[in-house]
Amino acid sequence: MNMKRYRCDDCGCTSPVCMTDGLFQAEARRHRNLAHAGLIPDGERVIDVPVAALMDIPRGQAIASAVLIVFLVAAAFMR
């Protein structure tokens, strides 16, 4: 999955995470139309968002979740 944010350095605006290329292109078009009268600003760029950044949870919570999942799977097989 390739997620992106639209960034306009000219106005200092950054879009929310766009899950698809279509959403990203629509966001860029919307910003250009509203803020720049349809023109492409010089400070326009794409920010790639790694999937891990969206699921950034504390390490202890991740370990506890993994232990719980292993326990539940083991309990299901013991029946």
Side-chain angles (χ1 to χ4, degrees):
M1 190 181 309
N2 189 17
M3 293 174 283
K4 303 173 186 174
R5 288 181 187 260
Y6 172 83
R7 173 74 182 166
C8 178
D9 289 333
D10 288 357
C11 355
C13 296
T14 304
S15 75
V17 175
C18 300
M19 303 296 259
T20 66
D21 286 341
L23 289 174
F24 175 81
Q25 291 168 0
E27 182 65 30
R29 213 172 16 257
R30 183 195 67 78
H31 177 78
R32 290 174 191 154
N33 289 335
L34 291 174
H36 303 286
L39 300 174
I40 299 172
D42 290 339
E44 182 177 87
R45 63 188 169 104
V46 177
I47 299 172
D48 287 317
V49 179
V51 174
L54 296 176
M55 298 184 293
D56 194 17
I57 59 174
R59 184 174 181 203
Q61 186 177 351
I63 292 170
S65 298
V67 169
L68 179 61
I69 290 170
V70 168
F71 175 75
L72 292 173
V73 169
F77 281 109
M78 294 185 127
R79 288 185 174 191

mmCIF file of all heavy atoms in Angstrom, residues 2 10 21 23 34 38 50 56 60-61 66-67:
data_model
loop_
_atom_site.group_PDB
_atom_site.id
_atom_site.type_symbol
_atom_site.label_atom_id
_atom_site.label_comp_id
_atom_site.label_asym_id
_atom_site.label_seq_id
_atom_site.Cartn_x
_atom_site.Cartn_y
_atom_site.Cartn_z
ATOM 1 N N ASN A 2 0.659 2.143 -0.906
ATOM 2 C CA ASN A 2 1.478 3.334 -1.053
ATOM 3 C C ASN A 2 0.648 4.556 -0.667
ATOM 4 O O ASN A 2 -0.140 5.038 -1.449
ATOM 5 C CB ASN A 2 1.974 3.438 -2.489
ATOM 6 C CG ASN A 2 2.999 4.529 -2.669
ATOM 7 O OD1 ASN A 2 3.576 4.999 -1.700
ATOM 8 N ND2 ASN A 2 3.219 4.932 -3.891
ATOM 9 N N ASP A 10 4.592 26.443 -0.361
ATOM 10 C CA ASP A 10 4.283 27.857 -0.570
ATOM 11 C C ASP A 10 3.312 28.376 0.487
ATOM 12 O O ASP A 10 3.457 29.473 0.999
ATOM 13 C CB ASP A 10 3.691 28.094 -1.966
ATOM 14 C CG ASP A 10 4.735 27.950 -3.055
ATOM 15 O OD1 ASP A 10 5.917 27.723 -2.741
ATOM 16 O OD2 ASP A 10 4.363 28.063 -4.235
ATOM 17 N N ASP A 21 -3.917 6.701 -5.060
ATOM 18 C CA ASP A 21 -3.409 7.747 -5.950
ATOM 19 C C ASP A 21 -4.530 8.676 -6.395
ATOM 20 O O ASP A 21 -4.324 9.879 -6.554
ATOM 21 C CB ASP A 21 -2.729 7.120 -7.174
ATOM 22 C CG ASP A 21 -1.373 6.512 -6.826
ATOM 23 O OD1 ASP A 21 -0.796 6.885 -5.770
ATOM 24 O OD2 ASP A 21 -0.888 5.675 -7.597
ATOM 25 N N LEU A 23 -7.201 9.586 -4.675
ATOM 26 C CA LEU A 23 -7.468 10.549 -3.598
ATOM 27 C C LEU A 23 -6.369 11.601 -3.518
ATOM 28 O O LEU A 23 -6.629 12.778 -3.291
ATOM 29 C CB LEU A 23 -7.590 9.830 -2.255
ATOM 30 C CG LEU A 23 -8.845 8.988 -2.052
ATOM 31 C CD1 LEU A 23 -8.751 8.217 -0.741
ATOM 32 C CD2 LEU A 23 -10.078 9.869 -2.057
ATOM 33 N N LEU A 34 -8.370 25.925 -5.002
ATOM 34 C CA LEU A 34 -8.775 26.827 -3.918
ATOM 35 C C LEU A 34 -7.705 27.857 -3.564
ATOM 36 O O LEU A 34 -8.005 29.027 -3.344
ATOM 37 C CB LEU A 34 -9.128 26.024 -2.663
ATOM 38 C CG LEU A 34 -10.394 25.175 -2.745
ATOM 39 C CD1 LEU A 34 -10.548 24.325 -1.493
ATOM 40 C CD2 LEU A 34 -11.616 26.064 -2.942
ATOM 41 N N GLY A 38 -5.970 27.338 -9.566
ATOM 42 C CA GLY A 38 -5.755 26.270 -10.529
ATOM 43 C C GLY A 38 -4.325 26.102 -10.993
ATOM 44 O O GLY A 38 -4.011 25.171 -11.719
ATOM 45 N N PRO A 50 4.996 5.923 5.383
ATOM 46 C CA PRO A 50 5.183 4.493 5.599
ATOM 47 C C PRO A 50 4.035 3.927 6.428
ATOM 48 O O PRO A 50 3.503 4.595 7.312
ATOM 49 C CB PRO A 50 6.502 4.391 6.356
ATOM 50 C CG PRO A 50 6.804 5.761 6.835
ATOM 51 C CD PRO A 50 5.991 6.729 6.036
ATOM 52 N N ASP A 56 1.935 3.089 14.596
ATOM 53 C CA ASP A 56 2.982 3.280 15.582
ATOM 54 C C ASP A 56 2.394 3.195 16.981
ATOM 55 O O ASP A 56 1.775 4.121 17.474
ATOM 56 C CB ASP A 56 3.637 4.638 15.356
ATOM 57 C CG ASP A 56 4.938 4.790 16.103
ATOM 58 O OD1 ASP A 56 5.488 3.763 16.530
ATOM 59 O OD2 ASP A 56 5.396 5.931 16.243
ATOM 60 N N GLY A 60 5.717 -1.924 24.359
ATOM 61 C CA GLY A 60 5.109 -2.772 25.383
ATOM 62 C C GLY A 60 3.701 -3.203 24.999
ATOM 63 O O GLY A 60 3.303 -4.351 25.221
ATOM 64 N N GLN A 61 2.957 -2.291 24.412
ATOM 65 C CA GLN A 61 1.591 -2.616 23.982
ATOM 66 C C GLN A 61 1.622 -3.628 22.831
ATOM 67 O O GLN A 61 0.798 -4.537 22.776
ATOM 68 C CB GLN A 61 0.861 -1.352 23.562
ATOM 69 C CG GLN A 61 -0.599 -1.568 23.234
ATOM 70 C CD GLN A 61 -1.292 -0.264 22.882
ATOM 71 O OE1 GLN A 61 -0.742 0.804 23.038
ATOM 72 N NE2 GLN A 61 -2.501 -0.379 22.401
ATOM 73 N N ALA A 66 0.743 -9.209 21.054
ATOM 74 C CA ALA A 66 1.234 -10.437 20.423
ATOM 75 C C ALA A 66 1.080 -11.625 21.363
ATOM 76 O O ALA A 66 0.660 -12.718 20.945
ATOM 77 C CB ALA A 66 2.691 -10.261 20.008
ATOM 78 N N VAL A 67 1.395 -11.445 22.654
ATOM 79 C CA VAL A 67 1.255 -12.526 23.630
ATOM 80 C C VAL A 67 -0.210 -12.937 23.757
ATOM 81 O O VAL A 67 -0.540 -14.126 23.799
ATOM 82 C CB VAL A 67 1.835 -12.107 25.005
ATOM 83 C CG1 VAL A 67 1.457 -13.090 26.098
ATOM 84 C CG2 VAL A 67 3.342 -11.958 24.905
#
